[in-house]
Amino acid sequence: MDLARLRRSGARPAEAPPAGPAPGALAASSCVEVDRLVSASGGITLGNQVILVGSPLAGQRARLRLDDQLMHVITQDGVLWRTLPCPIPPGQRHRLQGVRLAGPGPLPEAAAAVQRRVSSRGGIQVARQRIQVGMTHAGKIVTVLSEDTSFRLVIGAETVRVVPRTTSREIGRYKAYATRSRPADPAPAVKEAAPCPT
């Protein structure tokens, strides 16, 4: 009765609700995306597998682009973090939780990651730019993510600082090297005393 009253007042049947990608379209595509929260140990769960993507991303929601045989890990800031072999076969990707068709846009450029050992005075140097990390971090290894206009400093899973990039020089060294201790000087030879004349 209510439907008849609505029709008499000029109501029209509702159209079909907007649908997401059909399972068939997802199954036929080799390029899909999912979002996953990165754990404190730097891992994500994809299907029934735990995959380590990097502890600096801990606590972030990463975008995973599964493209043919590769898996691109993209940070929540839109930076390509790394590329790994894709652990999920194309025929099973449409079953992943939250899966969607990947966008057509090109992948972002990967951020260069370098490592530095913090000096006893709390500083590091990247591409000739001096950066103060802090005395509390002296002796630690810091990962520096080189972005367009800034350096992001990560120790463990924590971003400790983001500083403006003021240098246009290219980065020439990517690994941190332990401080080499200088070899101890050899002990001076002790001259034997001349025997006293008797």
Side-chain angles (χ1 to χ4, degrees), residues 20-21 25 41 86 106 109 125 133 136 143 145-147 175 179 185 196:
S41 59
C86 186
E109 293 185 3
Q125 185 169 296
V133 186
T136 56
T143 299
L145 300 180
S146 175
E147 299 171 352
K175 291 292 184 180
T179 304
D185 294 330
C196 296

Side-chain angles (χ1 to χ4, degrees), residues 68-165:
D68 199 16
Q69 302 301 316
L70 300 176
M71 180 178 75
H72 306 285
V73 182
I74 302 171
T75 70
Q76 61 187 11
D77 299 326
V79 175
L80 177 61
W81 176 255
R82 63 177 46 174
T83 298
L84 303 169
C86 186
I88 309 296
Q92 299 178 13
R93 295 173 189 174
H94 66 285
R95 301 176 183 172
L96 295 172
Q97 181 180 3
V99 67
R100 62 185 181 271
L101 292 175
L107 285 172
E109 293 185 3
V114 302
Q115 290 183 329
R116 294 292 184 269
R117 181 180 296 275
V118 183
S119 72
S120 59
R121 297 184 178 181
I124 60 172
Q125 185 169 296
V126 180
R128 301 285 181 91
Q129 178 176 335
R130 297 182 183 277
I131 301 172
Q132 189 65 22
V133 186
M135 294 286 291
T136 56
H137 300 297
K140 296 179 182 178
I141 299 295
V142 57
T143 299
V144 183
L145 300 180
S146 175
E147 299 171 352
D148 288 340
T149 60
S150 63
F151 288 122
R152 183 185 300 271
L153 313 182
V154 178
I155 296 179
E158 179 186 0
T159 297
V160 294
R161 285 199 68 187
V162 177
V163 298
R165 179 170 182 158

